[in-house]
Amino acid sequence: MRKSIFLFLLAGLSLTSCGTKKKIAELEKQNKECQDLLNTATVKLNLCLTEKESLSQQNEYLKKNNSELINNVGNMTTLTKQGAQNIEKALETIKEKDLKISRMQDALTRKDSVTLALVTSLKGSVGISDPDINVNVEKGVVFISIADKLLFKSGSYVVSDKAKEVLAKVAKVINDKPTFECMVEGHTDNLPFTGNSVLIDNWDLSVKRSTAIVRVLTKDLGVKPSQLIAAGRGEFIPLVENKTAENRATNRRTRIVVLPKIDEFYEMIEKEMKK
């Protein structure tokens, strides 16, 4: 009987021991699965932390970049405004210069108009049909050229009566332009002067002829002396070569240069420039 009980207890213990091992095995398996899950979660957590750090750095960089961009936009706006102001000032300067140029051109046009009117007046007054009297314009200056055969005898500086008729018409034009100046130029050919002991050479002859005409214009024809300039050019500005008698006759001449006063012209230009 006792033996039977012992065997029964032994069998019960054996069964109990087997069940415990089985549970332990299951628990160990569950523990391992939990550990694996924990390890996986830890790895993912570390990855997330790393990504978070990286994103945090990127966020800081973007914030800084955004701030710089905002500043740059502000600077660009300032630069754009400054650029627009500079362009506007440049355009104003160009406009002012164009206006000054236009005014100067207007002044020059008026001067040219005065010159043209003077030429027309001279041609009408002097009645120039004689080939020995010439009126022309060079660079805005009016020239009246009179051949010496109408004014003087050969080698003489005494003005002929016929010359006084021509000079009377010239004097009328000069008297009508009281603000103008006239330069009377005497010109000779290149033949040496052999007249009298009073004159030394062609320089002297050209000057004496010029002053003789100035005296006729002032004393006989009422031209103001302040308007006249006497000048002798001698033989040194010939119109043609002095190779023939005809050419030498062409070069012997008196030229009256009619000039608006230079200072008045510049005053007109300056006045336009200041507007």
Side-chain angles (χ1 to χ4, degrees):
M1 181 67 177
R2 285 182 180 177
K3 188 177 180 179
S4 298
I5 293 169
F6 177 74
L7 290 173
F8 177 78
L9 290 171
L10 184 60
L13 287 170
S14 297
L15 289 172
T16 301
S17 176
C18 289
T20 300
K21 287 180 180 180
K22 188 174 181 180
K23 286 182 179 180
I24 289 171
E26 288 177 357
L27 290 171
E28 287 178 350
K29 181 180 177 182
Q30 290 177 1
N31 183 58
K32 185 175 181 306
E33 290 176 353
C34 287
Q35 190 64 42
D36 290 340
L37 289 173
L38 178 61
N39 291 339
T40 301
T42 301
V43 170
K44 289 184 177 180
L45 176 61
N46 290 334
L47 286 173
C48 288
L49 290 173
T50 302
E51 288 179 0
K52 179 185 177 183
E53 180 66 22
S54 176
L55 289 172
S56 178
Q57 291 176 356
Q58 289 182 20
N59 186 49
E60 288 299 321
Y61 173 77
L62 290 173
K63 282 182 180 179
K64 183 180 178 182
N65 239 15
N66 186 54
S67 178
E68 289 177 355
L69 285 171
I70 290 172
N71 290 334
N72 287 338
V73 168
N75 292 336
M76 285 298 292
T77 302
T78 302
L79 289 173
T80 302
K81 288 181 180 178
Q82 187 64 42
Q85 290 173 356
N86 291 339
I87 292 171
E88 187 175 350
K89 288 179 180 178
L91 289 174
E92 284 295 325
T93 302
I94 292 170
K95 185 177 178 181
E96 288 175 3
K97 288 183 178 179
D98 285 342
L99 187 58
K100 287 181 179 179
I101 290 170
S102 177
R103 285 172 175 167
M104 285 187 68
Q105 288 174 338
D106 289 342
L108 290 170
T109 300
R110 286 201 296 275
K111 176 182 175 291
D112 290 341
S113 298
V114 169
T115 302
L116 180 60
L118 179 59
V119 172
T120 304
S121 175
L122 280 168
K123 287 186 175 180
S125 298
V126 180
I128 297 178
S129 57
D130 193 319
D132 294 319
I133 303 174
N134 224 351
V135 177
N136 66 309
V137 178
E138 296 176 17
K139 298 180 180 178
V141 178
V142 179
F143 297 94
I144 307 169
S145 185
I146 307 172
D148 269 12
K149 67 182 181 181
L150 295 180
L151 302 174
F152 308 100
K153 292 180 181 179
S154 178
S156 172
Y157 52 86
V158 178
V159 180
S160 68
D161 291 335
K162 185 178 179 181
K164 291 179 181 179
E165 294 177 10
V166 175
L167 293 176
K169 295 178 180 180
V170 174
K172 181 180 183 303
V173 174
I174 297 173
N175 288 331
D176 287 341
K177 307 290 181 184
T179 62
F180 283 34
E181 292 182 341
C182 296
M183 182 164 63
V184 181
E185 293 181 346
H187 296 262
T188 69
D189 58 29
N190 67 340
L191 293 180
F193 177 73
T194 57
N196 55 56
S197 59
V198 176
L199 303 178
I200 299 174
D201 54 21
N202 284 327
W203 274 115
D204 275 357
L205 179 59
S206 66
V207 172
K208 289 294 284 184
R209 285 180 169 177
S210 174
T211 54
I213 290 174
V214 165
R215 288 190 185 95
V216 170
L217 289 172
T218 56
K219 292 183 177 180
D220 299 339
L221 301 173
V223 176
K224 290 188 299 184
S226 59
Q227 285 183 258
L228 300 176
I229 304 166
R233 308 301 295 266
E235 64 197 65
F236 303 103
I237 308 179
L239 296 175
V240 292
E241 292 185 9
N242 288 289
K243 290 182 177 181
T244 64
E246 185 180 354
N247 281 4
R248 286 192 292 273
T250 299
N251 290 330
R252 292 191 302 271
R253 67 202 186 277
T254 296
R255 189 169 72 161
I256 301 174
V257 185
V258 184
L259 294 164
K261 283 191 175 180
I262 299 299
D263 55 348
E264 289 185 1
F265 172 65
Y266 281 119
E267 283 175 8
M268 181 170 61
I269 294 295
E270 288 175 1
K271 183 179 179 181
E272 293 298 334
M273 290 290 289
K274 289 177 181 178
K275 286 183 179 178

